[in-house]
Amino acid sequence: MKQAVLVFAIALVITLAIGPAVINYLRKMKFGQKILEIGPKWHMNKQNIPTMGGFMFIIGIAAAVIIGNIVMGEISVSSLAVLGLAVAYGAVGLVDDYAKIKKKENAGLTPKQKLVLQILVAGVFILVLFLGSSGLPQLWIPFTSISFSWPWPLYIVFAAFVIVGADNAVNLTDGIDGLAASVTLPVAIFFVFVGFRRGDMGVVIFSAALAGALLGFLRYNFNPAKVFMGDTGSLFLGGAVAGLAFACEMPLILLLVGLIYIIETLSVILQVTYFKATHGKRLFKMAPIHHHFEMCGWGEKKIVLVFTGITVVLCLLAYHVALAPLF
């Protein structure tokens, strides 16, 4: 517990400390957010607010994880593997953000380019899992004590689908001030306790660092935001959440703790499908669904608090009910 608190505090302090310098640098470089013309018109006042602010929590997390490993006196493969996955996805986001800034519009990498890069990163992470395994991978079913082995070829396809899907889902959730960071904070805390129960200090260290850095980032990202995380930050978070789930050998738990991410993604899929099927009609006023609630009159702070509250309840349910048969 002392190590977890120490790592949490290190990530929090570093993120808070470097925040102003990162924001000033992004302003100096004119790395400002561009708002899509088809996006929410009421977000136009966010135009040119610095983006790529995810750098501040990435630095905080990386430093805290490294220090945490030093304090433990041993190298935790799980913490470094998850950090590697998250940083790699953050790099994909960086390329996407830079392309947007260079083009001076909210359209960076093409969907195909981003998907190929995400699949490649997922493939490398799965290869690390394969090389570090001593047998067939196990898949645990939430709310039960049942787990079963998968042949590696099938598991590779499944894992790539989940990792890439989770990464894009978190990316879609990053649409209003503080939403992605606030929703991911309880998920990070959930994995801290799962790591303790599993006796995996690598998971504990990374999760604690993630929680501390996100809390520090919210100082600058909560409404009204002084900086946005950009795809650099949101893709990093998606990789972090997916990596933790696989490091704990429980990817299906994301169906519970990551339900908000899933709902955000489904709202986009349903909106597009319904729009095409009905030749122009809309199922929601706007997708992703947080924009629908905005158009229903909800303020950004209310949406963030409600979505985060739902995630807190789901994390408690996952820990005390879904995981009970396992522990």
Side-chain angles (χ1 to χ4, degrees), residues 133-149:
S133 69
S134 57
L136 293 175
Q138 300 290 313
L139 184 67
W140 167 70
I141 308 299
F143 298 102
T144 74
S145 58
I146 300 172
S147 63
F148 55 89
S149 301

PDB file of all heavy atoms in Angstrom, residues 133-149:
ATOM      1  N   SER A 133       4.329 -16.168 -21.781  1.00  0.00           N
ATOM      2  CA  SER A 133       3.386 -17.168 -21.285  1.00  0.00           C
ATOM      3  C   SER A 133       4.051 -18.536 -21.161  1.00  0.00           C
ATOM      4  O   SER A 133       5.038 -18.831 -21.825  1.00  0.00           O
ATOM      5  CB  SER A 133       2.178 -17.270 -22.221  1.00  0.00           C
ATOM      6  OG  SER A 133       2.564 -17.850 -23.456  1.00  0.00           O
ATOM      7  N   SER A 134       3.472 -19.358 -20.301  1.00  0.00           N
ATOM      8  CA  SER A 134       3.977 -20.720 -20.127  1.00  0.00           C
ATOM      9  C   SER A 134       2.952 -21.747 -20.594  1.00  0.00           C
ATOM     10  O   SER A 134       3.131 -22.943 -20.421  1.00  0.00           O
ATOM     11  CB  SER A 134       4.302 -20.972 -18.649  1.00  0.00           C
ATOM     12  OG  SER A 134       3.157 -20.735 -17.843  1.00  0.00           O
ATOM     13  N   GLY A 135       1.857 -21.270 -21.147  1.00  0.00           N
ATOM     14  CA  GLY A 135       0.816 -22.177 -21.619  1.00  0.00           C
ATOM     15  C   GLY A 135      -0.210 -21.418 -22.432  1.00  0.00           C
ATOM     16  O   GLY A 135       0.039 -20.293 -22.890  1.00  0.00           O
ATOM     17  N   LEU A 136      -1.392 -22.016 -22.588  1.00  0.00           N
ATOM     18  CA  LEU A 136      -2.457 -21.370 -23.333  1.00  0.00           C
ATOM     19  C   LEU A 136      -3.087 -20.246 -22.507  1.00  0.00           C
ATOM     20  O   LEU A 136      -3.186 -20.346 -21.282  1.00  0.00           O
ATOM     21  CB  LEU A 136      -3.544 -22.400 -23.700  1.00  0.00           C
ATOM     22  CG  LEU A 136      -3.132 -23.495 -24.695  1.00  0.00           C
ATOM     23  CD1 LEU A 136      -4.265 -24.498 -24.866  1.00  0.00           C
ATOM     24  CD2 LEU A 136      -2.757 -22.882 -26.035  1.00  0.00           C
ATOM     25  N   PRO A 137      -3.491 -19.170 -23.161  1.00  0.00           N
ATOM     26  CA  PRO A 137      -4.109 -18.065 -22.432  1.00  0.00           C
ATOM     27  C   PRO A 137      -5.473 -18.455 -21.866  1.00  0.00           C
ATOM     28  O   PRO A 137      -6.194 -19.269 -22.459  1.00  0.00           O
ATOM     29  CB  PRO A 137      -4.250 -16.974 -23.500  1.00  0.00           C
ATOM     30  CG  PRO A 137      -4.303 -17.712 -24.794  1.00  0.00           C
ATOM     31  CD  PRO A 137      -3.417 -18.908 -24.610  1.00  0.00           C
ATOM     32  N   GLN A 138      -5.808 -17.874 -20.710  1.00  0.00           N
ATOM     33  CA  GLN A 138      -7.070 -18.160 -20.048  1.00  0.00           C
ATOM     34  C   GLN A 138      -8.027 -16.982 -20.224  1.00  0.00           C
ATOM     35  O   GLN A 138      -7.617 -15.825 -20.189  1.00  0.00           O
ATOM     36  CB  GLN A 138      -6.839 -18.412 -18.552  1.00  0.00           C
ATOM     37  CG  GLN A 138      -5.927 -19.583 -18.241  1.00  0.00           C
ATOM     38  CD  GLN A 138      -6.582 -20.915 -18.560  1.00  0.00           C
ATOM     39  OE1 GLN A 138      -7.727 -21.166 -18.194  1.00  0.00           O
ATOM     40  NE2 GLN A 138      -5.846 -21.777 -19.254  1.00  0.00           N
ATOM     41  N   LEU A 139      -9.308 -17.294 -20.375  1.00  0.00           N
ATOM     42  CA  LEU A 139     -10.334 -16.259 -20.451  1.00  0.00           C
ATOM     43  C   LEU A 139     -11.332 -16.489 -19.328  1.00  0.00           C
ATOM     44  O   LEU A 139     -11.982 -17.535 -19.260  1.00  0.00           O
ATOM     45  CB  LEU A 139     -11.049 -16.282 -21.809  1.00  0.00           C
ATOM     46  CG  LEU A 139     -12.072 -15.160 -22.024  1.00  0.00           C
ATOM     47  CD1 LEU A 139     -11.360 -13.814 -22.099  1.00  0.00           C
ATOM     48  CD2 LEU A 139     -12.873 -15.394 -23.303  1.00  0.00           C
ATOM     49  N   TRP A 140     -11.429 -15.516 -18.434  1.00  0.00           N
ATOM     50  CA  TRP A 140     -12.321 -15.628 -17.277  1.00  0.00           C
ATOM     51  C   TRP A 140     -13.669 -14.991 -17.577  1.00  0.00           C
ATOM     52  O   TRP A 140     -13.746 -13.938 -18.202  1.00  0.00           O
ATOM     53  CB  TRP A 140     -11.669 -14.946 -16.064  1.00  0.00           C
ATOM     54  CG  TRP A 140     -12.606 -14.726 -14.917  1.00  0.00           C
ATOM     55  CD1 TRP A 140     -13.159 -15.678 -14.095  1.00  0.00           C
ATOM     56  CD2 TRP A 140     -13.119 -13.482 -14.471  1.00  0.00           C
ATOM     57  NE1 TRP A 140     -13.978 -15.094 -13.171  1.00  0.00           N
ATOM     58  CE2 TRP A 140     -13.976 -13.741 -13.371  1.00  0.00           C
ATOM     59  CE3 TRP A 140     -12.930 -12.162 -14.884  1.00  0.00           C
ATOM     60  CZ2 TRP A 140     -14.640 -12.722 -12.690  1.00  0.00           C
ATOM     61  CZ3 TRP A 140     -13.599 -11.149 -14.207  1.00  0.00           C
ATOM     62  CH2 TRP A 140     -14.436 -11.434 -13.133  1.00  0.00           C
ATOM     63  N   ILE A 141     -14.759 -15.621 -17.117  1.00  0.00           N
ATOM     64  CA  ILE A 141     -16.114 -15.129 -17.318  1.00  0.00           C
ATOM     65  C   ILE A 141     -16.564 -14.390 -16.057  1.00  0.00           C
ATOM     66  O   ILE A 141     -16.638 -15.000 -14.988  1.00  0.00           O
ATOM     67  CB  ILE A 141     -17.103 -16.277 -17.607  1.00  0.00           C
ATOM     68  CG1 ILE A 141     -16.591 -17.159 -18.751  1.00  0.00           C
ATOM     69  CG2 ILE A 141     -18.491 -15.718 -17.934  1.00  0.00           C
ATOM     70  CD1 ILE A 141     -16.416 -16.447 -20.051  1.00  0.00           C
ATOM     71  N   PRO A 142     -16.841 -13.074 -16.146  1.00  0.00           N
ATOM     72  CA  PRO A 142     -17.280 -12.315 -14.964  1.00  0.00           C
ATOM     73  C   PRO A 142     -18.501 -12.937 -14.296  1.00  0.00           C
ATOM     74  O   PRO A 142     -19.328 -13.565 -14.952  1.00  0.00           O
ATOM     75  CB  PRO A 142     -17.603 -10.933 -15.554  1.00  0.00           C
ATOM     76  CG  PRO A 142     -16.753 -10.829 -16.770  1.00  0.00           C
ATOM     77  CD  PRO A 142     -16.721 -12.220 -17.339  1.00  0.00           C
ATOM     78  N   PHE A 143     -18.590 -12.761 -12.970  1.00  0.00           N
ATOM     79  CA  PHE A 143     -19.670 -13.268 -12.115  1.00  0.00           C
ATOM     80  C   PHE A 143     -19.592 -14.780 -11.903  1.00  0.00           C
ATOM     81  O   PHE A 143     -20.486 -15.371 -11.306  1.00  0.00           O
ATOM     82  CB  PHE A 143     -21.064 -12.914 -12.679  1.00  0.00           C
ATOM     83  CG  PHE A 143     -21.321 -11.433 -12.776  1.00  0.00           C
ATOM     84  CD1 PHE A 143     -21.219 -10.789 -13.993  1.00  0.00           C
ATOM     85  CD2 PHE A 143     -21.658 -10.702 -11.643  1.00  0.00           C
ATOM     86  CE1 PHE A 143     -21.464  -9.424 -14.091  1.00  0.00           C
ATOM     87  CE2 PHE A 143     -21.901  -9.339 -11.729  1.00  0.00           C
ATOM     88  CZ  PHE A 143     -21.804  -8.695 -12.945  1.00  0.00           C
ATOM     89  N   THR A 144     -18.539 -15.399 -12.414  1.00  0.00           N
ATOM     90  CA  THR A 144     -18.364 -16.838 -12.223  1.00  0.00           C
ATOM     91  C   THR A 144     -16.908 -17.120 -11.857  1.00  0.00           C
ATOM     92  O   THR A 144     -16.060 -16.233 -11.882  1.00  0.00           O
ATOM     93  CB  THR A 144     -18.698 -17.626 -13.510  1.00  0.00           C
ATOM     94  OG1 THR A 144     -17.642 -17.441 -14.468  1.00  0.00           O
ATOM     95  CG2 THR A 144     -20.022 -17.169 -14.116  1.00  0.00           C
ATOM     96  N   SER A 145     -16.641 -18.361 -11.524  1.00  0.00           N
ATOM     97  CA  SER A 145     -15.257 -18.798 -11.302  1.00  0.00           C
ATOM     98  C   SER A 145     -14.759 -19.585 -12.509  1.00  0.00           C
ATOM     99  O   SER A 145     -13.751 -20.270 -12.442  1.00  0.00           O
ATOM    100  CB  SER A 145     -15.177 -19.663 -10.046  1.00  0.00           C
ATOM    101  OG  SER A 145     -16.042 -20.790 -10.162  1.00  0.00           O
ATOM    102  N   ILE A 146     -15.506 -19.455 -13.603  1.00  0.00           N
ATOM    103  CA  ILE A 146     -15.197 -20.234 -14.811  1.00  0.00           C
ATOM    104  C   ILE A 146     -14.152 -19.514 -15.669  1.00  0.00           C
ATOM    105  O   ILE A 146     -14.274 -18.319 -15.951  1.00  0.00           O
ATOM    106  CB  ILE A 146     -16.470 -20.457 -15.657  1.00  0.00           C
ATOM    107  CG1 ILE A 146     -17.517 -21.221 -14.843  1.00  0.00           C
ATOM    108  CG2 ILE A 146     -16.142 -21.194 -16.949  1.00  0.00           C
ATOM    109  CD1 ILE A 146     -18.864 -21.306 -15.529  1.00  0.00           C
ATOM    110  N   SER A 147     -13.162 -20.242 -16.064  1.00  0.00           N
ATOM    111  CA  SER A 147     -12.187 -19.751 -17.037  1.00  0.00           C
ATOM    112  C   SER A 147     -11.818 -20.917 -17.941  1.00  0.00           C
ATOM    113  O   SER A 147     -11.860 -22.070 -17.516  1.00  0.00           O
ATOM    114  CB  SER A 147     -10.939 -19.180 -16.359  1.00  0.00           C
ATOM    115  OG  SER A 147     -10.260 -20.190 -15.643  1.00  0.00           O
ATOM    116  N   PHE A 148     -11.474 -20.605 -19.168  1.00  0.00           N
ATOM    117  CA  PHE A 148     -11.128 -21.675 -20.099  1.00  0.00           C
ATOM    118  C   PHE A 148      -9.984 -21.237 -20.995  1.00  0.00           C
ATOM    119  O   PHE A 148      -9.755 -20.044 -21.200  1.00  0.00           O
ATOM    120  CB  PHE A 148     -12.343 -22.110 -20.923  1.00  0.00           C
ATOM    121  CG  PHE A 148     -13.019 -20.999 -21.671  1.00  0.00           C
ATOM    122  CD1 PHE A 148     -12.627 -20.659 -22.961  1.00  0.00           C
ATOM    123  CD2 PHE A 148     -14.045 -20.269 -21.079  1.00  0.00           C
ATOM    124  CE1 PHE A 148     -13.244 -19.632 -23.656  1.00  0.00           C
ATOM    125  CE2 PHE A 148     -14.670 -19.237 -21.769  1.00  0.00           C
ATOM    126  CZ  PHE A 148     -14.274 -18.915 -23.054  1.00  0.00           C
ATOM    127  N   SER A 149      -9.284 -22.210 -21.518  1.00  0.00           N
ATOM    128  CA  SER A 149      -8.121 -21.947 -22.362  1.00  0.00           C
ATOM    129  C   SER A 149      -8.543 -21.685 -23.799  1.00  0.00           C
ATOM    130  O   SER A 149      -9.510 -22.263 -24.286  1.00  0.00           O
ATOM    131  CB  SER A 149      -7.158 -23.133 -22.328  1.00  0.00           C
ATOM    132  OG  SER A 149      -6.724 -23.382 -21.018  1.00  0.00           O
TER     133      SER A 149
END
